[in-house]
Amino acid sequence: MESPVFEEIDPASDCDCPGCVHWRRALPHSWVGRAGAHPAAHRALGLAAMASAALGAGQAVPAATAPHAPHRPGIPAADEPDTPQGVTAPLHGPGVRPATPAVAPKPTAITRTEIINRAKTWVAAKVPYSMSAYWSDGYRQDCSGYVSMAWKLPGNEWTGSLAQYGEKISKEELQLGDILLFHNAADPEQGSHVTIFGGWTDASHTSYTAYEQTRPHTSRQSTPYAYWHNSDRYVPYRYKGVTPEKPVSGKAGGQPGAPAATPYPGAAYFGPGANNKYVTQLGRMLVARGAGGSYASGPGPRWTDADRLATRAFQRAQGWTGAEADGLPGPHTWELLVTGKGKDVKNGAVGPPPASHGVPGYPGRATFRPGANNTYVTQLGKQLVRKGFGRFYRVGPGPVWSEADRRAVEAFQRTQGWRGGAADGYPGPETWRRLFS
């Protein structure tokens, strides 16, 4: 009896592990390089083939039993962030997981400003979430790949290995560029996640700006501390490679990012309509002095209400009132900032926003987001009721941002003739001005 002839054709596979996903894409018609993916399964298939040859075509042979499939990473646990993740891998990564080194490589030196700026690049690009795809910079498009990119790590890590690059810190020690990490060692695909800390959004430190990679794409949003779910299991970490901002030239004691030798450029460089490098410099100095809670994004070169709020918070921290605390930097304010003198803003306080033409000052976009809990949400809701949009509220309005608030704002925006992104239910400066006019 002739032995059966076996063709070298890959059997169909629906395994979702990162290794098999990669090899199905990279080598759809070849066994080369496959041995590392599921060796037990391949050996079993080989034994089945030999047994079939020995017993002959007319004798039934039990099918080889495939090893138990792991939890399918595309199906998250209920009420958990939908963030399955890939494995440790080099930049632009292979499909199989290399052995995790016993000691993490020497961390790359990086400042907090660099970390946040790197994080912002993916937010701006709206990088799609994927546990197997790699962005053009070589980092995997999942939550841990995002942190690997922001921290400028030499390769792609996962939630089970990121901790070796950091040191545990307390909630009170959190600063820009630190992370909040939850690794579920018992079942890594069940809830494991990591976010980048982008600053507190309220004085009570109950919510913060989180940079994170989750479906559908990279985002930046106000998030309750430490996260929406499993909050008690998230651990703050600081990257071991974080270095102080580049030293300033001139007088000692100057603030990071603000050359002390820079003279006051003049009042014309600040205020509505201003767009220049001095506005960016002012914002960075204010963030370094504790006024970062005023910024939903930035600082940047275009003057916004956030710059005025932050400036006013710093001025009030000096004990100034009236015209001295109008939110516009004069020579004295500038001097204190560039020399590092004066008092810092305490607990991220931003103070009441300045009013314009009888309209309450817009408090910033971060004030109106899921998880927000503040007096401005109440103020917004009550004004919406006065304007005839109270039908969306079953109770309230209250200080906790809700879907009722968003729907009421959206309805108001549509009455202005706005559509699409201009009527998304989240109040911007123009919505606020028209609502309170």
Side-chain angles (χ1 to χ4, degrees), residues 34-212:
R34 287 291 195 89
H38 280 306
H42 297 162
R43 285 196 301 271
L45 289 171
L47 290 172
M50 289 188 290
S52 177
L55 292 174
Q59 198 165 351
V61 179
T65 302
H68 177 68
H71 169 74
R72 299 169 81 88
I75 307 176
D79 298 326
E80 299 298 345
D82 192 9
T83 55
Q85 58 184 312
V87 296
T88 53
L91 295 181
H92 304 284
V96 294
R97 182 174 180 173
T100 302
V103 180
K106 184 178 179 180
T108 303
I110 190 171
T111 65
R112 297 187 182 281
T113 299
E114 290 178 289
I115 292 174
I116 295 300
N117 285 342
R118 289 174 67 87
K120 287 179 179 178
T121 61
W122 277 29
V123 174
K126 294 185 178 180
V127 175
Y129 185 90
S130 174
M131 63 174 285
S132 57
Y134 294 80
W135 196 237
S136 57
D137 53 19
Y139 291 96
R140 191 177 55 248
Q141 296 166 213
D142 58 9
C143 63
S144 46
Y146 181 46
V147 171
S148 299
M149 182 278 296
W151 277 6
K152 207 174 182 179
L153 298 183
N156 290 282
E157 299 300 324
W158 70 307
T159 56
S161 61
L162 277 172
Q164 66 181 328
Y165 288 89
E167 54 184 0
K168 288 184 181 180
I169 57 174
S170 66
K171 173 184 177 181
E172 291 71 26
E173 294 175 298
L174 276 166
Q175 295 184 49
L176 294 176
D178 295 335
I179 64 171
L180 291 159
L181 173 65
F182 165 37
H183 176 63
N184 184 3
D187 190 344
E189 299 299 344
Q190 295 285 344
S192 297
H193 190 44
V194 60
T195 68
I196 300 173
F197 181 80
W200 297 110
T201 59
D202 62 346
S204 59
H205 292 186
T206 57
S207 62
Y208 67 102
T209 297
Y211 291 86
E212 61 177 327

Side-chain angles (χ1 to χ4, degrees), residues 200-203 290-295 306 308-314 316 345-354 363 367 376:
W200 297 110
T201 59
D202 62 346
S294 301
Y295 291 94
R308 188 168 185 179
L309 284 171
T311 302
R312 192 176 190 211
F314 178 74
R316 289 169 67 88
V345 177
K346 299 294 185 182
N347 299 322
V350 296
T367 311
Y376 299 113

